[in-house]
Amino acid sequence: MDSQRSFLIIALAIVSFFLWQEWQKDYGPKPVVAPVTQQQVSNDNSSASLIMDSPETPQATTPTEAVARRIKVSTDVLELEIDPRGGDIVSLKLPQYALTKDSQDPYVLMRQIGAFEYVAQSGLIARDGPDRNGRPLYQSEASEYRLNGDTLTVPLRLEHNGLQIEKRFIFTAGKYDVRVEYQILNNSAEVKTVQAYQHLLQNIDNGESSSMFMPIYRGAAFGSAEERYKKYDFSDMQKNNLTVTTTGGWVAMLEHYFVSAWVPDQASTHQLYSRIHGGNKGVIGALSNPLDIDPGQTATINAVFYAGPKDQDNLAQLANGLDLTVDYGFLWFISQPLFWLLTFIQGFVGNWGVAIIIITLIVKGLMYPLTKIQYESMAKMRNLKPKIEEIQSRYKDDRQKMGPAMMELYRKEKVNPMGGCLPMLIQMPIFLALYWVFVESVELRHAPFMLWITDLSAKDPLYVLPVLFGISMFMMQKLTPMQVTDPLQQKLMMWMPVVFSIFFFWFPSGLVLYWLVSNLISLAQMLYIYKGMEKKGIHTRKA
């Protein structure tokens, strides 16, 4: 099997998989929303009823009223708005990340505009919780806060049924994680019981979709003691309510380069849950165990809210598995060290495009022994073709004798018939892992390379890189003439450089740069290997 045919089969398999994913999304069977049973509603002692008792979204208000009473908070990396009704984060922008390339507007991660909602809610339920029967209205000392030093605390206060409650949002300079605390003083003469929850709510359909060749996940995920990272998308929510009991854990909403997450107290037990609200909003959250507060005593409940880029180092420090929201798929164990190497190189060269070129050189260099075996095996198989055809002609009516005769020929000539395929199969996981590194890494978002390539996460505006890739692929075909004899297959192979060039028109330029450099290195390696084989008398071209 020649390298181009192998490349074709593997590439078409990948494309077919992406097409199947998109078909399933648009035309596959639709899930049925699981109904809430009467038992869930009536059984107050069950964990299921506690989830159902968690509050609904804030009561609808007019835009003017909502804006007038929101509390605005600004740090160096966050701009957010808190609704005093429940103390929910209803708007969050990331000033360090532009909405689009060269835009002056910050990236908007969370918002509550019209019918669309993407908010972070938290509260206290159970018997004495203020959120038990609706969202309480907190009081704030100011309507606007700005971080000027290392930390900023935004306190919201409430008195409810003998409880003095202070809900604090604690911000730190340069940090996307916010510490959310409840300080609860029981001023009554009886034991009070509360139960903390934190959840994220988002519309199922936000009008955006992933590309066929850039399948970007938008939806929920969670982590538990048993399962570090698991996606739980909106269709999963529509099929079943998530119910997972765990020590620690976390819940999150993902959208390509960015993530919002609630991380409850990692030393306590929580129930992770999901549900569909209002028919078109997905909710995923964490529910803590009930907490009893004796008369005159104070209790503290802690959680961390994160909203920002998928920074693996920071996420890994917050919770076990939260860094896996940078989703490299099943090859994560290869992608993570490759990402570390890419970041290390960029730290020296200061340019992500140059770093991509260098890491491609390193990977192709390390894979050179396998590449050498592959091309040598292919050349030897071409040289054996007359002998193979002679054996096939001699034993065309006796398949049982043909097999042993072929194996004897391979043994005598010291040729492995799989030698051209196995090295490529070994290399493919490396190249696919690099692909996901380039797709998932927020560091490449809006990162410039040189000249007209000003954003490695966007397509080449002049389509120069895809065209150069097609030319390099055509040159590789010329260097290794096809062995196929079927006219249709020959025409298909001849047009493959054109087809892939057109596909790559929509790929991020960083990915196309990687494939182009990889092809150029392969060309250089092929010329070097074939030249050495010609000196040994092994023909590398088809006669």
Side-chain angles (χ1 to χ4, degrees), residues 460 462-471 497 500-507 512 516:
D460 182 342
L462 302 181
Y463 305 113
V464 174
L465 292 180
V467 171
L468 291 177
F469 168 83
I471 294 173
F500 271 87
S501 290
I502 294 175
F503 282 166
F504 279 16
F505 281 178
W506 289 273
F507 270 59
V512 185
L516 172 61

Side-chain angles (χ1 to χ4, degrees), residues 365-394:
L366 292 174
M367 294 293 104
Y368 175 75
L370 291 175
T371 303
K372 189 171 185 291
I373 293 173
Q374 175 186 345
Y375 291 145
E376 287 181 345
S377 178
M378 286 159 46
K380 290 177 180 178
M381 287 295 292
R382 277 196 293 271
N383 279 270
L384 285 180
K385 188 176 180 181
K387 296 182 180 180
I388 293 174
E389 291 175 345
E390 192 273 330
I391 292 176
Q392 291 174 338
S393 176
R394 187 193 314 167

